[in-house]
Amino acid sequence: MTMDKAYDVVIIGGGPAGLTAGLYATRAGLKTLLIEKGVIGGQIANAELVENYPGFPDGISGFELGQLMHQQAMRYGLETIGAEVVALEPGGKTRLVRTSDGEYVARAVIIAGGSELSKLGIPREERLTGKGVSYCATCDGPLFKDKTVAVVGGGDAAITEALVLAKLCSKIFVIHRRNQLRASRILQERAFAEPRIEFIWDTVVDEIIGDERLEALKTRNVKTGEVSTLNVSAVFIYIGFSPNTGYLKGLVPLDSAGLVITNERMETTTPGIFACGDIRHNSAKQAITAAGDGATAAMATERFVREQG
Amino acid sequence: MAKPFDVSDDKFDEEVLRANSPVLVDFWAPWCGPCQPMGAIVKELADEYGDRMKFAKLNVDGNPKIASKYGIQGIPTLLVFKDGKPMRQIIGLRPKAELKKELDQLLG
């Protein structure tokens, strides 16, 4: 192992939480590495427009917001690699982070891995991903211009993406298992006013139909039990998020949903391991609260590293 | 240093299908968030594998013919062509290490 793979802090995850932690840690003079397995910005990078991050009165694209946060942290020396963490070993004075692209030693680790969009968990979902099944309307929506598509879900992400698709597709069915939306009021009002969006209430998707590409969805009304076939060219799935904490089992306390339990300083009960952002139990799951968590975590980490000497 | 080149609907036949070495084509678009880091990885792969194969980028926005011919319905998607035929399709952003394994396997 070469010395240049040793850091004061390794941050796992490059969303608003991890990037803000990186900004604070580097400004505190800590040698800091950020590991991101996907896109800098994390979940927010997929949002076409972020309207609730203060400081951007006209809104900002989620991808650009992530890039700007990254640039700001890099100004102070944040290093970044693209890799996936496969294991974390707590150890005594240092912690070992194993990744798909080598091993890194850190005095402290900040877990900011956020969450991924949940899958429906039904047959052909995985096989037809990228063949009509999508988790990113901003990416794949334009490939279904003037087509009929479906969105599954009723939260902010589902409705935001349905509104993105309304600018491109001829018809958008929003399939939701309840009879009212969870999304914020302003998004609901926009969606109800959009003539291309039609809501299918109290309904779940049981089956994805198609061999080479998605052709239709088999849906079921949960109140009446009525089963229908809905012909669509694409389905965009936004039924919630699952935390990326598989490799943390047995290492730090997790709640029943797999989220990391911390105190208000973002400390886990395992010394030298901190967690912040959406991956944390009780997180408000907003870019701005994740950023706040990141700052708190970096400050607690700085104190831990200095006390360890 | 080999770099990925931009390929269009019109030039695809000549520059990819009739190329004398395998060609990895990165289907992308400017609106797509995950396409950006994928593009950065493809650039690095071009640098490392450029002596054994070619790397091309096809912007699906403006080149719909090829994208629809190969059934591209999600981006980023990578397609590796050998002797004019698609040999391997990789959908969605993947870590670089995983892509290197794929290429090592393909190149034998």
Side-chain angles (χ1 to χ4, degrees), chain A residues 178-194:
Chain A
R178 302 187 201 286
N179 61 5
Q180 55 183 23
L181 300 176
R182 242 176 327 127
S184 60
R185 187 56 68 89
I186 188 162
L187 292 173
Q188 291 196 25
E189 282 168 5
R190 282 184 207 158
F192 292 141
E194 173 53 64

Side-chain angles (χ1 to χ4, degrees), chain B residues 8-68:
Chain B
S8 62
D9 275 355
D10 297 342
K11 293 278 176 77
F12 198 82
D13 197 50
E14 177 193 333
E15 294 180 341
V16 175
L17 300 185
R18 282 190 270 138
N20 48 19
S21 61
V23 187
L24 180 149
V25 183
D26 173 14
F27 292 83
W28 73 288
W31 65 67
C32 155
C35 292
Q36 313 277 341
M38 186 70 132
I41 291 172
V42 168
K43 216 170 139 190
E44 289 176 21
L45 292 173
D47 198 29
E48 293 171 38
Y49 290 81
D51 53 339
R52 284 179 283 168
M53 59 186 293
K54 289 180 179 159
F55 290 82
K57 293 176 70 71
L58 186 133
N59 183 345
V60 299
D61 195 16
N63 295 292
K65 275 200 302 211
I66 292 299
S68 99

Side-chain angles (χ1 to χ4, degrees), chain A residues 139-296:
Chain A
C139 309
D140 302 337
L143 299 166
F144 298 95
K145 216 168 177 177
D146 302 322
K147 299 271 170 64
T148 298
V149 302
V151 171
V152 185
D156 275 350
I159 301 309
T160 302
E161 301 304 314
L163 289 163
V164 168
L165 293 166
K167 285 185 250 162
L168 302 161
C169 304
S170 56
K171 176 96 193 173
I172 300 98
F173 291 106
V174 175
I175 303 168
H176 187 42
R177 64 193 161 116
R178 302 187 201 286
N179 61 5
Q180 55 183 23
L181 300 176
R182 242 176 327 127
S184 60
R185 187 56 68 89
I186 188 162
L187 292 173
Q188 291 196 25
E189 282 168 5
R190 282 184 207 158
F192 292 141
E194 173 53 64
R196 293 179 178 195
I197 296 179
E198 184 180 327
F199 289 89
I200 303 179
W201 302 111
D202 298 315
T203 298
V204 293
V205 178
D206 280 339
E207 213 178 301
I208 287 168
I209 300 166
D211 286 323
E212 288 305 305
R213 58 186 177 80
L214 172 74
E215 284 159 18
L217 302 174
K218 195 172 261 184
T219 62
R220 177 171 47 89
N221 185 303
V222 291
K223 288 202 173 139
T224 65
E226 191 190 341
V227 174
S228 318
T229 303
L230 188 67
N231 292 316
V232 290
S233 302
V235 61
F236 296 87
I237 298 163
Y238 292 97
I239 52 165
F241 297 89
S242 321
N244 303 320
T245 50
Y247 66 96
L248 292 173
K249 276 197 191 101
L251 197 64
V252 295
L254 305 176
D255 71 9
S256 57
L259 296 158
V260 182
I261 296 168
T262 68
N263 63 16
E264 71 277 11
R265 291 185 300 278
M266 310 299 144
E267 294 163 333
T268 69
T269 51
T270 308
I273 299 183
F274 302 78
C276 57
D278 287 11
I279 205 164
R280 199 170 67 83
H281 173 73
N282 266 346
S283 156
K285 294 195 165 48
Q286 300 296 304
I288 186 65
T289 57
D293 272 11
T296 306

Side-chain angles (χ1 to χ4, degrees), chain B residues 32-103:
Chain B
C32 155
C35 292
Q36 313 277 341
M38 186 70 132
I41 291 172
V42 168
K43 216 170 139 190
E44 289 176 21
L45 292 173
D47 198 29
E48 293 171 38
Y49 290 81
D51 53 339
R52 284 179 283 168
M53 59 186 293
K54 289 180 179 159
F55 290 82
K57 293 176 70 71
L58 186 133
N59 183 345
V60 299
D61 195 16
N63 295 292
K65 275 200 302 211
I66 292 299
S68 99
K69 182 179 171 189
Y70 292 101
I72 305 298
Q73 297 197 313
I75 49 172
T77 287
L78 304 180
L79 267 181
V80 185
F81 289 86
K82 211 170 163 183
D83 303 323
K85 289 185 193 74
M87 303 295 291
R88 182 81 180 91
Q89 184 183 45
I90 299 158
I91 298 172
L93 180 65
R94 303 290 173 85
K96 187 181 167 190
E98 193 183 321
L99 295 175
K100 284 179 71 162
K101 248 184 238 163
E102 293 275 359
L103 292 186

